[in-house]
Amino acid sequence: MVPVAVPMVVAVLLCATVAGATHGWPGVLGALLAGIVVVAFLGSTPLVMNPVARSSPVLALPAAVLFFLVKAFAAMAVLLLLFDVGGVAEHVDRRAFGLSAVVCSLVWTALQVRAFRRRRVLTYDLDDTPS
């Protein structure tokens, strides 16, 4: 997760800079909030699923489906709270939030693919018996 963190911070700051130049302070808030939401949602998956997959590979798939459903409902709750409760919508630019969320998600995914391709994962295990 460390090789992804620094470029992700740079991407969020770049989104905030562009949003600030085009939409002002609400754009900056929207972009920063989008970066936080993307990192929280996408970063939570390896933190939760890696220990589950290591401890019980059989339960990894049901746990992943359940975690996906929890994150889907959490995303709906975040969006409802963000734009309907307490006048937050007046201080956050929705367009900047949406575009920054898309950009940050794509950057996160590309960085994760790059990190995964550099890992050396053993795909099969040779027996000790000679053939």
Side-chain angles (χ1 to χ4, degrees):
M1 197 155 153
V2 174
V4 176
V6 174
M8 192 63 199
V9 169
V10 171
V12 170
L13 292 177
L14 237 132
C15 286
T17 303
V18 171
T22 57
H23 298 288
W25 184 245
V28 172
L29 287 177
L32 291 176
L33 191 60
I36 290 169
V37 168
V38 166
V39 169
F41 275 75
L42 295 179
S44 65
T45 302
L47 291 176
V48 171
M49 290 308 301
N50 284 345
V52 171
R54 282 191 201 112
S55 66
S56 175
V58 174
L59 292 177
L61 184 59
V65 171
L66 179 66
F67 190 60
F68 174 76
L69 290 174
V70 168
K71 285 190 346 181
F73 284 115
M76 286 189 292
V78 164
L79 292 176
L80 285 174
L81 290 174
L82 180 64
F83 295 119
D84 286 337
V85 176
V88 175
E90 298 170 5
H91 304 293
V92 176
D93 187 339
R94 292 180 185 190
R95 181 172 288 163
F97 177 85
L99 290 174
S100 297
V102 169
V103 168
C104 291
S105 297
L106 291 174
V107 168
W108 180 276
T109 302
L111 290 169
Q112 287 291 352
V113 167
R114 181 175 174 253
F116 181 76
R117 289 187 68 201
R118 290 176 176 225
R119 285 180 43 202
R120 299 199 180 265
V121 179
L122 187 63
T123 56
Y124 59 89
D125 190 18
L126 298 176
D127 289 336
D128 290 339
T129 58
S131 54

